[in-house]
Every structure is written in C-alpha cells, then in structure tokens.
C-alpha cells in the first residue's frame, strides 16, 4: 500500500487505497510526478473532487471525444475477449481493418480501463471526407440558403398559450434554411462554417451505421462473401453491443463546451412528468434522435390533443345519462315491487338455475342507462366525424413536418438507397435495372411466392389459434355461469357492504372470463411476436420500409383478432342465438352448454365491462413493461458504477449500462397506440368514457416514453421516415370499420331501437310515453312446457316460488304467448324492430360516410403555405445551381485565358474511397 501526499492549488488531500479499477491512476498526480504504479500490488485511487483533481491536460472520461479531445466519437463497439474466442478475435481483426480501409478512425479502450475489467470499447470517428462521401451517396439534405419566406403571423390572443410554451431555443434549436441534397463536388455551394459541426451527431451516427451494416469481416481471398454487417457480428457474439453515444448525462449538462448537452435539455424540458402540459420540442427531438422517432412523438402528441375534444364530448354524454335517471321510466318499472316484483323470469341455465324476479336486476338496469341512452347515438355519430377530422388534420400536420424536416422526396430515396444488408447478402441473383441501367440484386419470383405463402399460412394458423382460445373462454363462461348461479342463489354476497348487491352470477362470470381472456391475450402476444419477426425475416424484404410494413400488417392482424375478438363476441353474438324456453340452442348443437343470454340489464353493460378490463389492463401492463422493467434492469446493471466519480465513469460505460433500443422498439410503441385507437373507435358507443381514459393514459404515455428514451435507453441510431408508414392505412381502415361496428352496437346490442319503436308505434294512448315498455318487451312461456333437461332441479328455485300457483314465466323476446294460434313464433313487433334496426344502420352509415367524405374533400392534405414553400425551395435550388455553374465556368475560362502556354487544362483524378454498398 502506498500513500501519496498531494498539495493542489487549494487544499491538501491524501491518497487512500480503494478497490482495484485498473492499472492506471487517472489523476493529475501521475502526470506531474511521473509515478510508475505498475509494480504496486494495490492500485491507488486519488479521492479528490473533480474540479481540483483533474489536470487541464487530462481529459475527463465523461466525454464524447477521443483522447485528443478533438475527434468526436460517432459510434461505440463493445466486446468481451473470451479466452477461447479465437474465431471472434479473427472476425474483429478483419472487420476493424476493413472499417479503417473505409476511412473510419478507431481508438480502443483496453479492458483494464473498464469498470468490470473485462470489456473492450472500440471508439469510432468519421473524418470529413468519409462523411462527405456518404452524405452524397445517401442524398442527405443540407442548408444552402437562409429561409427568406416570412414567418407565421401571430395567432390572436397568443398570450393565452404562454404557460404551455417552451423557450424558443428549445423549440427551434437550428435556424430555418432552404436545403438541397449534398454534393461532394460542390462543397462551396453549401453553408459550411465548420466541417466538424456541419453534420449533426444524428446524421453522423446514421452514416457510420450505414457503413457498419455493409462492411465485411472476411478476408479478401475468402469465398464466403456473406460475412458482412454489424448485425451478424452482434448475433454471433463477436461484439456485445453497438451504439452511438448520448452527449451528456441526462440530469446535468456536460462540462465540455464542445458538447451540445441536448440530452440534458430534452430531459429538463420534455421528459419530466410535471411538464405534461407543455408542448413537445419536436425539432430538438428530431435533431437528437432522428426523423423517425420525431415523427412518432409528433403523431402521439397530435393524437393526444385531438383526444381532448372526444373526451369532453364523451364525458358530457356520460353525465347526461347520469343526470337523467329520473326520466328512466323502464328502470323504475323494473325496480318497482308492483311491476318488476311481480314478473317471474325463466331460468337462465339448465337445472342449476332457478326462477327469479325481474326487480333483482334493478342495479344493473340503472348502470346500463348511464351508457345506453340517446346520448350514446349522438356520440357514436360524433366519433365517426371526429376520427375523420383527426386523420385529415394529421395529414396536414405530417405534410408540414415533411417539408420542415426535409422529407418531401424521401420515399423514393428510401426505396433506392436503403436496401437492407440482409437482402443484399442473400440475393445472389442480379438483373439489369431498366431505369439506372445498372445491375441490382433481386429475389427470384418462385422463391418469393413460396416464402409469402408459408408466411400467410403461419399467420392464418395463429389467428385460428386465437379463435380457438376465444371459443374456450366462451365454453368457460357457459360452464361456470351455472356454478355461480347455484353458489349465489341464496345471495351470500348481499352481506358485503356497498357492493354486495351488485355482485350477480352474470357479473362474476363476465369479470372472471374477461380476466382469463386478458391473460391469454398477453401470453399469445409474447409467443406471436417471435413468430412474426421470424416469418418476416424469412421473406427477406428489400428495404427497411418494406420490412416494417410487412411486420406491421402481420402484427396488427394478429393483435386485432387477439384484443377485439372477445369484445366482438359480447357485442354481436352473445344473447343473439339462445332460442327460447323449451327450445334452447346449445354450443356446437350437441354439447350440454347452453348458449348464454345477456345480462338482464342488457348486453351493452357487459360489453362495457369487457372493454374496461381489456383496455385498462393493457394500458397498465404496457406502462409497467415500458417504464418499470427498464429502470429495474438499469438500476441492477449499474449498481457498482454509481459510486464512481464522474471523471472516471466514462461516457461509453454509462451508455453501455443502459438498455438497448431495438430496431423494432418504435414499432411496439405504434402498435400499442393503434390498438388503443381501435378500442376508442370500434366500441365507443358502449363506453363514452373510453376517450377520457385514453387521454389520461396518453398524457402519461408521452412523458413515460420521453423519460424512457432520455434516461433508460442507449441512444438509437438515427433513421429517416417521412410518415407513420403502414399505420396510416391501418388507421384509415379502423376509422371506416368503426362506423359499421358502432351502428351495429346501437342497433343490436343496445335497447335504443326497441324503445324508440315502442314509444312511437306501440305505446298506449296518444302521448309518447315509455310506460308499459317492460311488460311489452317480455314474452310469456308456460312452465309445463319445460323438458326434464331444462327444468330446474328441486331446491334450486327460491322459497317464494310455488309451481302450483305460478304457471308461467317471462323471457326477453317478442313472441306470441301460449294458447295463441302462432304460439312461440315471432310477433309483428319483432319484425318492425328488426326493420327499424336495419334502417338505422343504413341511415347512420350513409350519413356518417357522407360527412366523412365531405370533410376529407374539404380539407386539403397539404396546406397551401407548404406547397408554396416547396415550390420556392425547388425554384431556388435550380436558380442557385445555375448561377453556381455559370460562376465556375467563368472562373475556368479566366484561368484558361491567363495561361500563356495555351496548353489544354488537365483535370487530375480525385481519389475517392470505396463506397460500401453493392447496390450503388
């Protein structure tokens, strides 16, 4: 053990021995005194505050630069050198050599410098000539002239929005420029002040990843040309991780003046939950994370803003149902002893269910009225129009972002320039491109068709598996209902205070079945995600965009059936095919499981219960997965390093301890929100509060996602995207389908249409009244008509039931009574109601669709201002390029005239580095 006394400029400190971290003392005493500590058995640690101990010549390791403090770290590769990993060492050696041939500069941090003493870190810097070459290849747009179009006019009463605004330097971190695709041969055409900062870090790491994904790790004379790309090296364990660096710690700005500390700004103004009422700094998000993540947060924020209007209207409709209890005549009839107390209802299941009085469903009737009222119809029509406005206004917002973020012509570039490395490697065939007249990789049609067929068959199999699980849940509902009815026949739950009277066999069956269904949904999700990725990889899509679109369609089809099938069953099948007393319909026809009837209060309240459990359960589970799990993993992984001084806990180690953000991470974020969008549109007629729940969830979701991206994940590789991709078409499809589902819910699931038909056509007297509706809506059955298989067992019926006195029971339907010449056949009122339901569906669909198409026609997809700016930019590009070429020509001519020898001018060949792409 060695003790060293060091007198700094301000105070005296003593070096004390601590745990071993490496073979180097990283503080100023070593630099000044030149002490060799390699011979000491215990490595010393200078425990001084950073502002006193770090010499001005010694760089802090919490930095984004090489050891020289000048070259920026654009990417990090990490690995653990296994003793038996000779093949991995060979791969790394060849790969890093090829990276250097491609022009990248590497610097390796030895394992002795790492926190665990095992991990090597390879730092990658991209010099200017490589950046310029690949910026030219990828057609990255860069500024050439300041934007001269006047800014937006001030919004009236703009001061009202001041509390929601962020500082201008956060909202607009960069000036507004006209941009043009970069051209390496016309460097002086662009506004280049400093080559080191001209390309922002997000563009730099995107270029580096483009090279890493295509660089080979085989020897030049090797026959295996498929050994390419960082992805394969990560999969086979050659490297443990590959990621760009965050520019600072998230809770405080970097001490390095050359570091932008944009991560700190994002955390301070965006990722904190108490900023939930503030606008999002979309331009800063785009600058730091890239356009693809920026588009996601722009869409999520816009969706949340639009949900506010739907939530307000839905809350008003719910309050309307709550405050119109006194006008609910049919519920009063059900609850009254004179009417509901004297109506004896038929058993709801065979043998184990007894007869029951209608007034026992008093509570469920009142609950149903809160959601099944005139306001429900209005809200269903409103949501059909709202979803159109949301999609149309999002198109305008997206068009504005496309222009502001230089994505106007990106789709064509995406197809031509961003071929997936896996596609280039596995496509051994080449063919002539009729446009470029160059050879390009392609996949044979026969092989592609076979892979597509296998993929489709796999998806169909898994969807069939979901349907089988749903049938199993239905069988559970049918089987346990009788058990619950038998157990609860003496109403033991009535002894429970407050909620005892609300617990019925129907509610118990519905809640338990919904919970089981939710668990099945979660399990199938985990299993199918792996299958969907596997079959999409098997199809070998050509571009990243095509890959994501294929995976999106597969996952959404599965999730659509998985999440919504139980709701569709309750809404459109339950209680619709039950038959009648004495002639019931059974599941599969031959089983003893009788098709279940709706809750006495109606199927709408059961649909509401199902919707709340699945929707709320998914949101809670999703937030736990998104926030809590990464935090726990990061907390556990960095538990040892948290005590290290900042100057010794390197920036690459800090980021290495974070969770990796996979290339499908954003896909799952979209999927979660689109599934939620389906819940609030497809079944909103049954639960007007669904948009309010979604709004509250999304307010939290925005900040949870921001916190997660900023604090819990490594910095993702920047990627471009001009839109939300295939999700746009999925949203359009859901929007159209939601009009149909809500029309059917109002017509067939709720009791709105039967009540209106009774009030206008069958109510007694001349006044439009609902008096007598309950008695009118129930048919009569003679108890003697029950077979032994249907009749309740002895002791199952309540004590008040006397078969010698009570000879009939009632059931929900419109049929002729016993003794009538058409007994037990449907009455004319049944057909009138059916005709009214079909008429309502047709009228509602046509009205909503007409309004939707009219609104879509009235609202242009691209604002006029954006069109003008695009035209202005294209005009300026042509004008400036023309002037630039003319000026160059004048300079060449003047040089030629000054040449006295009159010799022809020789233009030397400019050496260019090899571009790592077989397709370009």
């Amino acid at each position: 053990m060695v003790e060293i006394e060091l007198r700094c400029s301000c105070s005296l400190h003593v070096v004390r021995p601590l745990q071993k971290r490496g073979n180097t003392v990283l503080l100023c005493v070593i630099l000044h005194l030149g002490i060799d500590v390699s011979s000491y058995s215990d490595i010393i640690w200078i425990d001084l505050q950073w502002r006193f101990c770090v010499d001005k010549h010694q760089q802090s390791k919490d930095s984004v630069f090489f050891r020289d403090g000048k070259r920026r770290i654009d990417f990090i590769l990490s690995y653990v050198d296994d003793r038996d990993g000779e093949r991995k060492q060979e791969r790394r050696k060849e790969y890093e050599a090829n990276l250097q041939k491609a022009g990248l500069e590497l610097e390796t941090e030895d394992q002795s410098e790492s926190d665990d003493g095992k991990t090597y870190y390879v730092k990658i810097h991209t010099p200017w000539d490589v950046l310029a070459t690949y910026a030219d290849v990828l057609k990255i747009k860069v500024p050439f002239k300041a934007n001269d179009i006047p800014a937006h006019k001030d919004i009236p009463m703009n001061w009202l929005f001041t509390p929601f605004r962020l500082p201008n330097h956060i909202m607009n971190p960069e000036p507004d420029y006209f941009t043009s695709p970069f051209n390496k041969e016309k460097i002086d055409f662009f506004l280049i002040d400093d080559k080191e900062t001209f390309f922002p870090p997000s563009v730099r790491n995107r270029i580096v990843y483009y090279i890493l994904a295509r660089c080979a790790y085989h020897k030049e004379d090797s026959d295996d040309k498929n050994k390419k790309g960082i992805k394969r090296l990560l999969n086979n364990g050659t490297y443990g991780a590959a990621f760009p660096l965050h520019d600072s710690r998230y809770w405080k700005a970097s001490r390095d003046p050359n570091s932008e500390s944009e991560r700190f700004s994002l955390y301070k103004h965006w990722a904190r939950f108490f900023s939930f009422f503030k606008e999002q700094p979309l331009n800063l998000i785009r600058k730091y994370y890239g356009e693809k993540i920026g588009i996601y947060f722009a869409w999520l924020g816009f969706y949340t803003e639009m949900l506010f209007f739907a939530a307000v209207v839905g809350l008003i409709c719910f309050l309307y149902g709550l405050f119109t209890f006194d006008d609910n005549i049919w519920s009063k009839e059900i609850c009254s002893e004179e009417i509901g107390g004297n109506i004896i209802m038929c058993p709801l299941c065979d043998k184990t269910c007894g007869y029951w009085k209608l007034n026992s469903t008093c509570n469920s009737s009142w609950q149903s009225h809160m959601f099944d009222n005139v306001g429900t119809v209005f809200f269903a029509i409103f949501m059909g129009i709202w979803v159109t406005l949301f999609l149309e206004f999002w198109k305008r917002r997206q068009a504005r972002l496309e222009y502001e973020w230089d994505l106007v012509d990106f789709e064509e570039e995406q197809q031509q320039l961003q071929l997936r490395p896996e596609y280039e490697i596995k496509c051994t065939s080449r063919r002539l491109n009729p446009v470029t007249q160059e050879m390009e990789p392609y996949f044979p049609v026969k092989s592609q068709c076979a892979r597509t067929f296998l993929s489709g068959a796999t998806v169909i199999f898994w969807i069939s598996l979901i349907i089988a699980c749903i049938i199993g849940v239905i069988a559970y509902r049918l089987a346990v209902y009788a058990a619950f009815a038998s157990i609860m026949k003496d109403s033991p739950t009535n002894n429970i205070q407050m909620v005892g009277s609300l617990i019925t066999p129907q509610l118990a069956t519905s809640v338990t079945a919904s919970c089981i269904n939710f668990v099945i949904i979660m399990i199938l999700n985990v299993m199918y995600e792996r299958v969907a990725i596997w079959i999409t990889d098997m199809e070998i899509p050509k571009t990243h965009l095509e890959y994501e679109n294929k995976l999106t369609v597969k996952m959404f089809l599965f999730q659509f059936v998985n999440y919504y099938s139980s709701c569709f069953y309750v809404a459109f099948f339950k209680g619709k095919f039950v038959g009648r007393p004495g002639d019931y319909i059974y599941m599969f026809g031959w089983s003893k499981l009788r098709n279940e009837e709706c809750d006495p209060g109606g199927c709408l309240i059961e649909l509401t219960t199902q919707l709340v459990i699945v929707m709320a359960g998914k949101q809670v589970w999703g937030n736990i997965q998104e926030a809590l799990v990464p935090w726990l993993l990061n907390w556990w992984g960095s538990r040892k390093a948290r005590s290290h001084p900042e100057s010794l806990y390197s920036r690459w180690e800090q980021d290495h301890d974070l969770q990796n953000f996979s290339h499908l991470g954003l896909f799952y974020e979209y999927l979660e929100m689109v599934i939620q969008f389906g819940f609030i549109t497809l079944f909103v007629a049954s639960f007007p509060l669904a948009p309010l729940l979604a709004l509250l969830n999304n307010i939290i979701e925005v900040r949870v996602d921001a916190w997660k991206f900023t604090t819990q994940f490594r910095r993702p590789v920047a990627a471009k995207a001009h839109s939300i991709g295939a999700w746009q078409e999925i949203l359009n499809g859901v929007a159209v389908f939601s009009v149909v589902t809500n029309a059917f819910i109002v017509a067939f699931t709720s009791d709105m249409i039967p009540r209106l038909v009774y009030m206008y056509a069958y109510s007694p007297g001349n006044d439009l009244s609902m008096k007598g509706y309950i008695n009118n809506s129930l048919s009569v059955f003679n108890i003697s008509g029950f077979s032994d298989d249907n009749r309740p067992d002895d002791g199952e019926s309540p004590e008040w039931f006397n078969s010698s006195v009570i000879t009939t029971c009632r059931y929900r339907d419109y049929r002729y009574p016993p003794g009538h010449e058409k007994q037990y056949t449907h009455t004319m009122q049944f057909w009138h109601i059916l005709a009214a339901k079909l008429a309502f569906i047709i009228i509602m669909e046509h009205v909503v669709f007409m309004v939707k198409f009219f609104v879509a026609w009235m609202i242009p997809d691209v604002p006029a201002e954006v069109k003008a700016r695009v035209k202005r930019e294209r005009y300026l590009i042509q004008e400036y390029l023309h002037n630039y070429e003319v000026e160059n020509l004048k300079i060449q001519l003047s040089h030629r005239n000054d040449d006295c020898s009159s010799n022809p001018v020789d233009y030397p060949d400019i050496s260019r580095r090899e571009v790592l792409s077989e397709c370009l």
Side-chain angles (χ1 to χ4, degrees), residues 159-166 171 276-280:
W159 58 272
L160 290 174
F161 301 96
T162 302
F164 307 101
R165 303 293 187 196
L166 289 175
M171 290 300 298
F276 71 89
F277 60 93
K278 296 282 189 179
E279 59 185 338
Q280 296 188 85

Side-chain angles (χ1 to χ4, degrees), residues 133 136-137 184-185 910-915:
T133 299
D136 194 350
V137 168
K184 188 178 180 181
E185 307 302 327
I910 301 176
S911 61
R912 301 183 63 179
R913 297 188 183 276
E914 179 185 359
V915 178

Side-chain angles (χ1 to χ4, degrees), residues 16-17 48 68 107 140 151 216 227 267 362 491 500 513 516 533 547 569 594-595 599 615 624 629 737 784 866 886 892:
R16 57 185 174 84
L48 303 175
D68 57 17
E107 184 178 84
I140 293 174
K227 294 182 177 180
Y267 177 74
C362 178
S491 301
I516 292 173
I533 294 173
Y547 179 90
Y569 165 73
R594 188 174 113 189
N595 287 352
D599 186 279
M615 181 179 175
I624 291 175
V629 173
F737 192 45
S784 61
V866 173
V886 169
Q892 291 180 10

Side-chain angles (χ1 to χ4, degrees), residues 388-660:
T388 303
L389 292 173
F390 162 63
L391 293 174
E392 292 302 319
F393 282 129
W394 165 246
K395 290 178 184 177
R396 292 172 62 84
R397 178 77 172 114
Q398 185 172 263
R400 189 179 296 278
L401 289 175
E402 282 185 32
Y403 168 74
E404 293 176 354
W405 293 354
D406 302 321
L407 301 169
V408 174
D409 301 319
F410 174 69
E411 186 170 7
E412 182 178 355
E413 299 171 15
Q414 172 80 21
Q415 294 293 333
Q416 293 181 355
L417 299 176
Q418 294 197 12
L419 294 181
R420 296 176 66 241
E422 294 85 355
Y423 181 84
E424 297 180 44
I425 292 172
K426 294 181 180 180
C427 291
T428 56
S429 303
R430 296 288 187 272
R431 67 180 177 185
L432 185 68
N433 187 312
V435 177
T436 63
Q437 292 297 306
E438 296 180 357
M439 300 301 292
E440 65 176 10
Y442 86 104
F443 214 68
V445 177
K446 291 183 179 180
S447 178
Q448 189 65 44
C449 290
R451 293 171 182 267
T452 303
F453 175 79
L454 179 59
S455 174
T458 305
V459 173
I460 293 174
F461 168 78
W462 277 88
I463 290 178
S464 302
L465 182 61
I466 298 173
I467 295 174
C469 291
I470 296 300
I471 293 174
V473 173
I474 295 172
Y476 164 83
R477 299 172 70 111
L478 302 180
V480 303
Y481 176 79
F484 278 127
S486 179
I487 294 171
M488 303 171 68
K489 64 181 179 179
D490 297 325
S491 301
T493 56
N494 287 339
N495 298 325
I496 303 176
Q497 295 183 358
M498 299 295 293
V499 298
S501 61
L502 303 179
I503 301 176
T504 63
Q506 293 87 353
L507 180 62
T509 302
S510 180
V511 170
T512 56
S514 298
C515 293
I516 292 173
N517 182 66
F518 176 72
V519 172
I520 292 175
I521 286 173
M522 293 296 103
I523 294 174
L524 290 177
N525 274 348
V526 174
M527 297 171 61
Y528 181 75
E529 283 176 8
R530 299 177 182 273
V531 175
I533 294 173
W534 174 73
I535 58 179
T536 306
D537 289 338
M538 181 192 64
E539 292 182 39
I540 316 178
K542 186 175 183 180
T543 65
H544 294 285
L545 180 63
E546 185 180 346
Y547 179 90
E548 291 185 3
N549 288 345
K550 285 178 177 291
L551 182 61
T552 298
V553 172
K554 293 182 182 66
M555 285 296 294
F556 182 76
L557 284 175
F558 176 84
Q559 300 279 19
F560 185 90
V561 179
N562 200 15
Y563 278 106
Y564 303 143
S565 55
S566 59
C567 294
F568 273 103
Y569 165 73
V570 175
F572 305 122
F573 295 97
K574 183 179 179 182
K576 306 301 186 295
F577 309 99
V578 297
R580 61 170 180 82
D583 188 21
Y584 289 116
I585 298 176
Y586 291 82
M587 189 176 184
F588 305 124
W590 48 266
S591 70
K592 294 184 179 181
L593 298 176
R594 188 174 113 189
N595 287 352
E596 61 180 332
E597 300 182 34
C598 288
D599 186 279
C603 271
L604 196 69
I605 192 67
E606 289 196 53
L607 178 59
T608 303
T609 303
Q610 179 78 21
L611 191 64
V612 170
I613 290 176
V614 177
M615 181 179 175
K618 182 185 183 305
Q619 291 178 350
V620 171
W621 178 255
N623 287 330
I624 291 175
Q625 278 189 314
E626 290 182 16
L628 187 59
V629 173
W631 180 81
L632 289 175
L633 292 174
N634 289 336
W635 177 83
W636 181 257
S638 61
R639 62 192 184 281
K640 293 181 179 179
R642 284 193 292 271
S643 60
H644 295 161
E646 178 181 334
S647 59
L648 296 175
Y649 190 23
S650 65
R651 164 74 10 232
W652 44 92
E653 286 180 286
Q654 294 175 41
D655 286 6
H656 184 265
D657 289 339
L658 299 177
Q659 296 300 301
N660 179 49

Side-chain angles (χ1 to χ4, degrees), residues 105-151:
E105 297 177 3
L106 309 182
E107 184 178 84
T108 302
E109 289 287 331
D110 191 78
Q111 62 179 353
S112 61
E113 299 294 328
S114 65
D115 177 63
D116 58 6
K118 300 178 182 179
T119 306
Y120 290 85
Y121 294 95
V122 180
K123 298 177 283 188
I124 301 177
H125 170 75
T126 317
W128 167 257
D129 60 338
V130 177
L131 287 172
T133 299
Y134 282 92
D136 194 350
V137 168
L138 297 175
K139 305 299 180 187
I140 293 174
K141 291 187 176 183
V142 294
F144 70 91
K145 183 184 184 301
N147 194 335
D148 59 359
I149 298 179

